Amino acid sequence: MMRKASFHAGMISGQNSANLVLCLEPEAACMACEDQRNSPLDDGASSAAVAASLQILKNGDTFMVLDCGGGTVDITVHRVVGTNPLRLAESRKPSGGPWGSTYVDQEFEQFLQAMIGEDSWKLFKSSSAWAQTMEEWEATKCAFDPSEKQDDPSSACSMRVAALSEALRELPVPAGGTELSLSDLVRKYNTDFGGQLESRRSILKIPFVKMQQFFQT
């Protein structure tokens, strides 16, 4: 069915074309990695790098693929049964679990909601600033190593929150209150939850220990 659809879409010249390989996602990931390993190197590459680039999977080799996605981590183990073209056989039953990075995002969202407050949270999440803030969070999350050890217990990770700071000025002021600011929210959060957040202009400094907690779901 997929070959037929590909043929009618003009992707291949015939339904049995060798230019189309149908495989499972882990197998496709393996083929992509193997293709990158065998790609030409720059003229200035060292002899060791050239040797590494020529090293390919051999018949009988067994390897594991970890597909770390947004919602899940999928684990497969394959054995090489052919190299030209590359052919694989399943060595173990696929496994995995709900360990994707979106669960880390959910922990960060709960933290942000506690800091902003219930009254302003829905308005903020429906604004364009929400998407921009999550983009900044994605960059911060990807640069963080939760397994890293810190000698300084007061170390922190800096996250840009310019969109959040700007959005706070546009949110309705609570009855009897004043215009919200990032420094006010940080101060209140630290008081209510015993936190150690810091802010400087449009930068939010999240303690290293707090960042680790986002990953310990």
Side-chain angles (χ1 to χ4, degrees), residues 170-186:
E170 301 175 3
L171 293 177
V173 177
T178 57
E179 184 181 86
L180 296 174
S181 70
L182 181 61
S183 58
D184 292 334
L185 294 183
V186 166

Side-chain angles (χ1 to χ4, degrees), residues 153-165:
S154 64
S155 60
C157 298
S158 297
M159 174 182 168
R160 288 178 53 83
V161 287
L164 170 60
S165 298

Side-chain angles (χ1 to χ4, degrees), residues 95-175:
S95 63
W99 311 314
S101 63
T102 53
Y103 292 85
V104 181
D105 297 339
Q106 290 172 9
E107 290 294 312
F108 174 73
E109 283 189 40
Q110 292 177 12
F111 154 75
L112 209 56
Q113 183 175 1
M115 186 178 75
I116 295 176
E118 193 67 36
D119 294 338
S120 303
W121 173 249
K122 290 183 179 179
L123 290 173
F124 171 67
K125 197 169 181 180
S126 63
S127 69
S128 60
W130 164 251
Q132 296 176 50
T133 300
M134 291 308 292
E135 286 180 6
E136 295 291 354
W137 161 246
E138 184 70 17
T140 304
K141 176 184 68 176
C142 291
F144 179 74
D145 182 359
S147 65
E148 184 180 344
K149 295 186 181 297
Q150 291 289 317
D151 296 329
D152 183 3
S154 64
S155 60
C157 298
S158 297
M159 174 182 168
R160 288 178 53 83
V161 287
L164 170 60
S165 298
E166 186 65 29
L168 291 175
R169 302 189 185 97
E170 301 175 3
L171 293 177
V173 177

Side-chain angles (χ1 to χ4, degrees), residues 1 3 58 116 174 177 179:
M1 180 67 72
R3 279 191 169 276
K58 302 179 294 295
I116 295 176
E179 184 181 86

Side-chain angles (χ1 to χ4, degrees), residues 28-43:
C30 170
M31 292 177 181
C33 290
E34 187 69 2
D35 183 64
Q36 288 183 0
R37 287 176 59 185
N38 293 319
S39 61
L41 296 175
D42 295 336
D43 293 337

Side-chain angles (χ1 to χ4, degrees), residues 39-56:
S39 61
L41 296 175
D42 295 336
D43 293 337
S46 65
S47 57
V50 172
S53 74
L54 296 177
Q55 181 183 359
I56 60 174

